[in-house]
Amino acid sequence: MQAKFTLIALIVACVLIIGCTNTQTQALIPVNESTKEAAQRIAKENIIVDGHVDVPYRVEANWVDVTQATDKGDFDYPRAIAGGLDAPFMSIYVPASLDNSVESTVLANRLIDSVEAIVGRAPDKFALAYSVNDVQNNFKEGKISLPMGMENGSPIQGSLDTLQHFYNRGIRYITLAHSQSNHISDSSYDLRRQWKGLSPFGKTLIGEMNNLGIMIDISHVSDDAFYQTIELSKAPVIASHSSLRRFTPGFERNMSDDMITKLAENGGVIMINFGSGFVSPAARMWRDKMGEKRQSLIATFGEDSQQVSDFNDQYKQENPYPFASLDMVLDHIDHVAELVGIDYIGIGSDYDGVGDSLPTGLKDVSTFPNLVEGLLKREYTEGDIKKILNENLLRVWAAVETQTQRE
């Protein structure tokens, strides 16, 4: 009898040990692997999706061949390989100054041409990506995917046929507005709020984007436009490059806790922007004060005055920019995880889009392993990190594709 009980006890102990071991393999890195080594491995073994990289507009303004190493900017092929970046959404950015002009549509097409040209120059390094399957297959082939998102819906020009055209050209998300209210939506930066959210066309556009399989991006829009979009969309939506208003009070471009909660209820994802002004209250205040002083000089001396021309360099010399840190970016990720869970977080760095304001430790696309290492040090599991790096965004993209199939 004693032997029987001993055998049973041993079996139970083994089951418990196996169960614990399986749990720990999900949570812990191998004992013989340093945190830095683990971060490098995770960055290399897993797809890294970045929701917003402004390469097309950068090369439009000052052409360089990003299939090779470049001296400036935040992205090129060697640095992307070093950082493990596999699917940067190329931002087809159209400035708000071109709203309501044919040139906005012309520019959007030209920027798409430039993305296609990158692939054409180096088809062994890059490939276009029109679907989740494309991203996954390109990764297996060792190629960097270049999916595209349009930042500012101005080029649509109020035409659903033009929307179809841009879908056909590869646009897979559209940021409804940028720095000014347009024919689709009010902007978080624009005090006029002419539509009190979405325009009548904008409300129609939400359904058509669902039908076509284009993700809806609510970065840049006003709060009212966000809530109306969440109410209207039949598919999850994204914030392709936004951070948290909790850390930058009064900065409407970032998302409030209530908005993040609603986004999670919708099944969407917030992709954290790395720009110092998006993650650091000190950097945000620095920018605001700089703007106030510049406006004061304009009011006193005129916009074309020497005082205004000299102001930026002088201000920066006298008031060094307070760069954010990697830890501040991680604080934003932590808060979303605590607020709604790990399933609603992604990366939307805004590389090549926020100038020289990037945080220490995240200065270009080669530094993604630093982000992974920081997450490991904060005791995120490897499974959690995979969700942040790609799985959450790819889940949303797949859901948008599935919604299209249902229509």
Side-chain angles (χ1 to χ4, degrees), residues 77 81 86 124-126 137-144:
Y77 181 76
I81 290 297
D86 303 290
D124 57 324
K125 299 176 180 177
F126 295 100
N137 289 335
N138 292 339
F139 179 71
K140 292 174 184 176
E141 294 177 6
K143 297 179 181 180
I144 295 175

Side-chain angles (χ1 to χ4, degrees), residues 72-86:
K72 298 180 180 179
D74 309 324
F75 174 96
D76 55 39
Y77 181 76
R79 284 183 284 178
I81 290 297
L85 178 59
D86 303 290

